[in-house]
């Protein structure tokens, strides 16, 4: 078989293997984050407690838990109650322990860098949530609206809105057999899911989700997808693959076969372009070598 055909065949096999490799979900996609204005003194007991707390959060996730909370308070004589740090992490309910661990490590790395010197920080990635502060928030309900994203107006569609309200009502009622902190529901091509931070009681969780559901319905109107994140819970819905759990409640369609096909088409186009370019180079080199041989023969 000629050398050029072997090279082209190899490039083709590489392209096929690349397309057959499933894309990993963007669990580390940023959703929101913030840092407290209060700063701690470098080298203080608070900083030592904070570092200990963040290490505990990461180690707990690595150990396979998908939710945990810690209180870090050193026994140093110079330490005071004001040096106590409270922290929590939680992963999305459908993630594996390994996915959770990677997401939490990424989240803590980001919040630790961007909130450096701050006494508190909260960081929500697509797959996980991390929060720490010098005042306790564990077990405290927080319905403050942090971020809201709505899809473009889709026009009034009574059937669509009925399905949306039905699946959101299912989420509010508990989401069937799913854990109380993570709830998922479908109705036709309409999907919704919500989650509470697990330091709250079941009653607090239901109250928080009801608040989020009311806001997403009123603030997103007839949009095909929408999401509202409150301080201790969130709810999101999407119709027909207009929004994916692997992406934030933002303005980019990222679910369903439509988006996957688009990504495959883009990848295929790039690979075809690379193959064509390499093939042209090989042809040019091959012809140059043949001409050199012909010239040398004369």
């Amino acid at each position: 078989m000629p050398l050029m055909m072997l090279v082209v065949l190899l490039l083709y096999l590489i392209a096929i293997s690349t397309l057959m490799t499933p894309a990993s979900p963007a669990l580390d996609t940023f959703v929101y984050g913030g840092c407290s204005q209060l700063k701690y003194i470098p080298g203080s007991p608070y900083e030592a407690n904070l570092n200990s707390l963040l290490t505990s959060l990461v180690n707990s996730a690595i150990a396979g838990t998908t939710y945990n909370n810690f209180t870090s308070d050193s026994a140093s004589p110079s330490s005071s109650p004001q040096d106590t740090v409270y922290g929590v992490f939680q992963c999305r309910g459908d993630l594996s322990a390994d996915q959770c661990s990677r997401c939490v490590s990424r989240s803590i790395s980001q919040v630790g860098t961007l909130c450096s010197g701050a006494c508190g920080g909260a960081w929500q990635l697509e797959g996980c949530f991390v929060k720490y502060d010098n005042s306790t928030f564990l077990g405290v309900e927080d319905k403050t609206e942090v971020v809201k994203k709505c899809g473009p107006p889709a026009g009034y569609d009574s059937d669509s809105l009925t399905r949306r309200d039905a699946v959101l009502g299912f989420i509010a009622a508990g989401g069937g057999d799913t854990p109380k902190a993570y709830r998922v529901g479908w109705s036709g091509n309409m999907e919704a899911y919500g989650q509470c931070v697990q330091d709250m009681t079941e009653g607090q969780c239901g109250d928080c989700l009801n608040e989020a559901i009311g806001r997403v319905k009123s603030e997103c109107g007839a949009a095909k997808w929408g999401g509202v994140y409150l301080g201790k819970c969130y709810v999101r819905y999407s119709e027909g693959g207009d929004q994916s759990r692997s992406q934030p409640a933002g303005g980019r369609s990222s679910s369903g076969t439509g988006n996957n096909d688009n990504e495959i088409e883009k990848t295929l186009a790039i690979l075809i372009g690379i193959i064509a370019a390499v093939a042209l180079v090989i042809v040019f080199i091959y012809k140059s070598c043949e001409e050199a041989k012909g010239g040398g023969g004369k």
Side-chain angles (χ1 to χ4, degrees), residues 26-297:
L27 299 176
D28 59 352
T29 301
F30 177 78
V31 178
Y32 71 83
C35 315
S36 68
Q37 294 183 347
L38 187 63
K39 304 292 184 180
Y40 61 78
I41 300 172
S44 65
Y46 188 88
E47 182 178 29
N49 291 343
L50 175 58
N51 291 335
S52 175
L53 174 90
L54 297 180
T55 300
S56 296
L57 294 176
V58 172
N59 288 341
S60 180
I62 291 174
T65 60
T66 56
Y67 160 81
N68 214 338
N69 68 77
F70 293 91
T71 300
S72 180
D73 185 9
S74 69
S76 169
S78 60
S79 181
S80 68
Q82 288 72 32
D83 294 322
T84 301
V85 191
Y86 307 88
V88 65
F89 80 87
Q90 175 169 282
C91 290
R92 206 174 67 197
D94 60 342
L95 301 193
S96 67
D98 185 54
Q99 289 174 317
C100 177
S101 172
R102 292 197 300 268
C103 186
V104 170
S105 296
R106 181 64 178 267
S107 179
I108 288 178
S109 174
Q110 291 179 354
V111 71
T113 299
L114 296 176
C115 292
S116 177
C119 288
W123 215 253
Q124 175 77 59
L125 299 183
E126 173 59 29
C128 60
F129 171 72
V130 169
K131 182 175 180 178
Y132 60 89
D133 207 344
N134 64 328
S135 59
T136 184
F137 55 87
L138 300 175
V140 179
E141 188 175 354
D142 182 1
K143 295 187 288 186
T144 305
E145 185 172 307
V146 182
V147 66
K148 170 205 69 181
K149 296 288 185 179
C150 304
Y156 182 79
D157 182 340
S158 61
D159 290 339
S160 175
L161 291 176
T162 298
R163 289 194 302 273
R164 183 199 67 179
D165 292 348
V167 330
L168 290 176
F170 184 73
I171 298 300
D177 296 330
T178 57
K180 69 179 181 66
Y182 183 68
R183 309 176 181 189
V184 184
W186 295 269
S187 177
N189 64 345
M190 183 71 71
E191 176 188 18
Y193 62 103
Q195 187 167 20
C196 297
V197 180
Q198 294 179 56
D199 63 326
M200 294 194 298
T201 66
E202 189 168 358
Q204 289 174 323
C205 177
D207 187 43
C208 189
L209 285 175
N210 276 320
E211 179 71 20
I213 288 169
R215 294 193 187 196
V216 79
K217 288 166 66 174
S218 64
E219 296 177 17
C220 290
K224 283 193 172 184
W225 60 260
V228 168
Y229 283 77
L230 305 183
K232 280 292 189 75
C233 71
Y234 67 85
V235 65
R236 286 161 55 171
Y237 74 88
S238 64
E239 179 183 20
D242 288 283
Q243 181 190 17
S244 168
R245 268 175 281 178
S246 65
Q247 297 292 343
R252 181 173 59 179
S253 173
S254 56
S255 178
T257 57
N259 183 73
N260 291 335
D261 290 343
N262 288 338
E263 293 302 317
I264 291 174
E265 289 171 4
K266 291 176 183 178
T267 304
L268 183 58
I270 293 172
L271 289 172
I272 290 174
I274 293 173
I275 291 171
V278 172
L280 287 173
V281 171
I282 293 173
V283 170
F284 176 79
I285 294 174
Y286 180 81
K287 287 185 176 181
S288 298
C289 291
E290 289 297 312
E291 290 174 0
K293 289 179 181 178

Side-chain angles (χ1 to χ4, degrees), residues 4-17 275:
M4 193 176 94
M5 292 183 63
L6 286 172
V7 173
V8 172
L9 177 60
L10 178 60
L11 291 171
Y12 174 78
L13 292 175
I14 292 172
I16 293 299
S17 65
I275 291 171

